[in-house]
Short mmCIF file of all heavy atoms in Angstrom, two decimals:
data_model
loop_
_atom_site.label_atom_id
_atom_site.label_comp_id
_atom_site.label_asym_id
_atom_site.label_seq_id
_atom_site.Cartn_x
_atom_site.Cartn_y
_atom_site.Cartn_z
N PRO A 243 -5.07 -1.71 26.54
CA PRO A 243 -6.30 -2.47 26.65
C PRO A 243 -7.25 -2.07 25.52
O PRO A 243 -7.09 -1.01 24.93
CB PRO A 243 -6.85 -2.03 28.01
CG PRO A 243 -6.30 -0.65 28.19
CD PRO A 243 -4.96 -0.65 27.55
N ALA A 244 -8.20 -2.93 25.22
CA ALA A 244 -9.13 -2.65 24.13
C ALA A 244 -10.04 -1.51 24.53
O ALA A 244 -10.92 -1.66 25.37
CB ALA A 244 -9.91 -3.90 23.81
N TRP A 245 -9.80 -0.32 23.94
CA TRP A 245 -10.61 0.83 24.29
C TRP A 245 -11.92 0.80 23.52
O TRP A 245 -11.95 0.52 22.33
CB TRP A 245 -9.86 2.12 23.95
CG TRP A 245 -8.84 2.47 24.97
CD1 TRP A 245 -9.00 2.52 26.31
CD2 TRP A 245 -7.47 2.83 24.72
NE1 TRP A 245 -7.83 2.88 26.93
CE2 TRP A 245 -6.88 3.08 25.98
CE3 TRP A 245 -6.70 2.97 23.58
CZ2 TRP A 245 -5.55 3.46 26.11
CZ3 TRP A 245 -5.39 3.34 23.72
CH2 TRP A 245 -4.83 3.59 24.97
N GLY A 246 -12.98 1.13 24.21
CA GLY A 246 -14.28 1.23 23.57
C GLY A 246 -14.81 2.64 23.76
O GLY A 246 -14.09 3.52 24.24
N TYR A 247 -16.07 2.85 23.40
CA TYR A 247 -16.60 4.21 23.47
C TYR A 247 -16.73 4.69 24.91
O TYR A 247 -16.75 5.88 25.18
CB TYR A 247 -17.95 4.29 22.74
CG TYR A 247 -19.11 3.65 23.47
CD1 TYR A 247 -20.01 4.43 24.20
CD2 TYR A 247 -19.29 2.28 23.41
CE1 TYR A 247 -21.06 3.85 24.86
CE2 TYR A 247 -20.34 1.69 24.07
CZ TYR A 247 -21.24 2.48 24.80
OH TYR A 247 -22.27 1.91 25.46
N GLN A 248 -16.78 3.73 25.85
CA GLN A 248 -16.90 4.15 27.25
C GLN A 248 -15.54 4.30 27.93
O GLN A 248 -15.43 4.95 28.95
CB GLN A 248 -17.73 3.13 28.02
CG GLN A 248 -19.21 3.17 27.67
CD GLN A 248 -20.00 2.16 28.48
OE1 GLN A 248 -19.54 1.04 28.70
NE2 GLN A 248 -21.17 2.56 28.93
N THR A 249 -14.53 3.64 27.39
CA THR A 249 -13.26 3.57 28.12
C THR A 249 -12.11 4.33 27.48
O THR A 249 -11.06 4.48 28.10
CB THR A 249 -12.82 2.10 28.25
OG1 THR A 249 -12.80 1.52 26.95
CG2 THR A 249 -13.78 1.33 29.13
N GLN A 250 -12.26 4.78 26.24
CA GLN A 250 -11.10 5.42 25.63
C GLN A 250 -10.85 6.81 26.24
O GLN A 250 -11.79 7.49 26.66
CB GLN A 250 -11.23 5.51 24.12
CG GLN A 250 -12.19 6.54 23.62
CD GLN A 250 -12.07 6.65 22.10
OE1 GLN A 250 -11.01 6.48 21.54
NE2 GLN A 250 -13.17 6.95 21.46
N PRO A 251 -9.56 7.21 26.32
CA PRO A 251 -9.24 8.48 26.96
C PRO A 251 -9.89 9.65 26.23
O PRO A 251 -9.95 9.65 25.00
CB PRO A 251 -7.72 8.57 26.83
CG PRO A 251 -7.27 7.20 26.51
CD PRO A 251 -8.38 6.52 25.82
N PRO A 252 -10.38 10.64 26.99
CA PRO A 252 -10.97 11.81 26.33
C PRO A 252 -9.94 12.49 25.43
O PRO A 252 -8.76 12.55 25.77
CB PRO A 252 -11.37 12.74 27.48
CG PRO A 252 -11.12 12.00 28.73
CD PRO A 252 -10.35 10.77 28.44
N GLY A 253 -10.38 12.97 24.30
CA GLY A 253 -9.46 13.68 23.41
C GLY A 253 -8.75 12.79 22.43
O GLY A 253 -7.99 13.26 21.60
N GLY A 254 -8.97 11.48 22.51
CA GLY A 254 -8.34 10.59 21.54
C GLY A 254 -6.96 10.14 21.98
O GLY A 254 -6.50 10.44 23.09
N ILE A 255 -6.29 9.44 21.08
CA ILE A 255 -5.02 8.81 21.42
C ILE A 255 -3.95 9.25 20.42
O ILE A 255 -4.18 9.18 19.22
CB ILE A 255 -5.17 7.27 21.35
CG1 ILE A 255 -6.25 6.82 22.31
CG2 ILE A 255 -3.85 6.58 21.61
CD1 ILE A 255 -6.88 5.51 21.91
N LEU A 256 -2.83 9.69 20.91
CA LEU A 256 -1.68 9.98 20.05
C LEU A 256 -0.68 8.84 20.25
O LEU A 256 -0.03 8.77 21.28
CB LEU A 256 -1.03 11.31 20.44
CG LEU A 256 -1.84 12.56 20.15
CD1 LEU A 256 -1.11 13.77 20.70
CD2 LEU A 256 -2.07 12.72 18.67
N PRO A 257 -0.59 7.93 19.29
CA PRO A 257 0.30 6.79 19.51
C PRO A 257 1.77 7.18 19.55
O PRO A 257 2.57 6.49 20.15
CB PRO A 257 0.01 5.87 18.32
CG PRO A 257 -0.62 6.74 17.30
CD PRO A 257 -1.27 7.86 18.01
N GLU A 258 2.16 8.27 18.91
CA GLU A 258 3.55 8.71 18.94
C GLU A 258 3.60 10.18 19.35
O GLU A 258 3.81 11.07 18.52
CB GLU A 258 4.21 8.51 17.57
CG GLU A 258 4.40 7.05 17.23
CD GLU A 258 5.25 6.86 15.99
OE1 GLU A 258 5.36 7.80 15.20
OE2 GLU A 258 5.80 5.76 15.83
N PRO A 259 3.38 10.47 20.63
CA PRO A 259 3.38 11.87 21.04
C PRO A 259 4.77 12.47 20.93
O PRO A 259 5.76 11.76 20.98
CB PRO A 259 2.92 11.80 22.51
CG PRO A 259 3.34 10.45 22.95
CD PRO A 259 3.23 9.56 21.76
N GLY A 260 4.85 13.77 20.79
CA GLY A 260 6.15 14.40 20.71
C GLY A 260 6.13 15.46 19.63
O GLY A 260 5.15 16.17 19.46
N ASN A 261 7.21 15.55 18.88
CA ASN A 261 7.26 16.58 17.85
C ASN A 261 7.59 15.94 16.52
O ASN A 261 7.51 14.71 16.36
CB ASN A 261 8.28 17.65 18.22
CG ASN A 261 9.63 17.03 18.47
OD1 ASN A 261 10.00 16.05 17.84
ND2 ASN A 261 10.37 17.59 19.42
N MET A 262 8.00 16.76 15.57
CA MET A 262 8.19 16.26 14.22
C MET A 262 9.30 15.21 14.11
O MET A 262 9.36 14.47 13.14
CB MET A 262 8.51 17.42 13.28
CG MET A 262 7.29 18.28 13.00
SD MET A 262 7.71 19.79 12.16
CE MET A 262 8.50 19.18 10.69
N ALA A 263 10.16 15.13 15.11
CA ALA A 263 11.21 14.12 15.04
C ALA A 263 10.63 12.72 14.96
O ALA A 263 11.25 11.81 14.40
CB ALA A 263 12.12 14.24 16.26
#
Side-chain angles (χ1 to χ4, degrees):
W245 282 310
Y247 74 99
Q248 288 181 320
T249 54
Q250 74 172 327
I255 301 155
L256 291 175
E258 291 190 339
N261 56 33
M262 288 169 58

